[in-house]
Amino acid sequence: MIGSVIALVLAVLLFVGLRPTTGSGSSSGPVVGVGSVAPGFTLPSLAGGTQVNLDALGKDRHHPVVLNFFASWCGPCREETPLLARTADAEQAKGSTVQFVGVDTLDPKSSAIPFVDKAGITYPVATDNGQVSSGLYGLYGDPQTFFLDAEGTVIGHVRGALNQVELRQWLHRLAGSAG
């Protein structure tokens, strides 16, 4: 009986923590709010090799960014990540300046790499032990996506999995921010 109650409470907390929202980061939201400049970071690449530097991929090149925090063990991430991968490839094929950046959080490489491969991600993916996601961005729960304009300012944040309609709307706004 006690185990069932604990499981129910944990399920409710997980559901509330992953519910999609947009906005400027209320007291229960991220430290990085809409209208603020996204903190830059450099993290190891999940695949190895060149490190992933947010500023070098985005604002230093005056490119808008879709910054997605995810994990292979996250159910909503399993739904959202292939959509992000397909959309990033389509944006690149049409010559868009929007840069997609993934941050795999608190996930062993042995799980993360097959997940990224299966999803078809070709954009840069960093691996984070919580230093950036929790420490710098103040996040809890995955997935979470930030939309940064060409100057690195957060114009939107979505907690929870994006659907195709939402993603298209955000890409339209980002395209307008590219000048």
Side-chain angles (χ1 to χ4, degrees):
M1 180 72 167
I2 292 174
S4 297
V5 171
I6 291 172
L8 178 62
V9 168
L10 288 174
V12 168
L13 289 174
L14 183 61
F15 175 76
V16 170
L18 296 179
R19 185 180 46 200
T21 61
T22 59
S24 60
S26 65
S27 61
S28 64
V31 171
V32 179
V34 172
S36 65
V37 175
F41 59 80
T42 300
L43 286 169
S45 170
L46 181 63
T50 305
Q51 292 190 318
V52 177
N53 181 305
L54 179 64
D55 289 345
L57 293 166
K59 72 179 184 178
D60 291 353
R61 294 171 42 202
H62 303 289
H63 289 186
V65 173
V66 175
L67 174 60
N68 178 251
F69 292 86
F70 70 93
S72 66
W73 45 262
C74 159
C77 300
R78 288 188 212 115
E79 296 173 23
E80 176 189 62
T81 304
L83 169 65
L84 289 168
R86 288 189 309 273
T87 304
D89 288 346
E91 288 294 306
Q92 183 179 23
K94 72 180 189 180
S96 172
T97 62
V98 175
Q99 176 67 58
F100 285 67
V101 177
V103 178
D104 180 68
T105 61
L106 303 171
D107 208 3
K109 281 188 176 188
S110 60
S111 299
I113 291 172
F115 174 76
V116 166
D117 290 344
K118 183 178 179 183
I121 294 177
T122 58
Y123 52 83
V125 176
T127 182
D128 179 34
N129 63 6
Q131 171 187 352
V132 170
S133 57
S134 297
L136 193 57
Y137 277 73
L139 303 179
Y140 60 93
D142 288 320
Q144 296 206 37
T145 306
F146 290 86
F147 299 90
L148 316 178
D149 70 12
E151 302 306 314
T153 301
V154 178
I155 65 168
H157 169 242
V158 176
R159 185 182 307 133
L162 287 161
N163 63 45
Q164 189 168 12
V165 171
E166 290 171 315
L167 184 54
R168 285 282 161 222
Q169 290 171 341
W170 282 111
L171 288 172
H172 181 71
R173 285 189 65 189
L174 287 176
S177 78

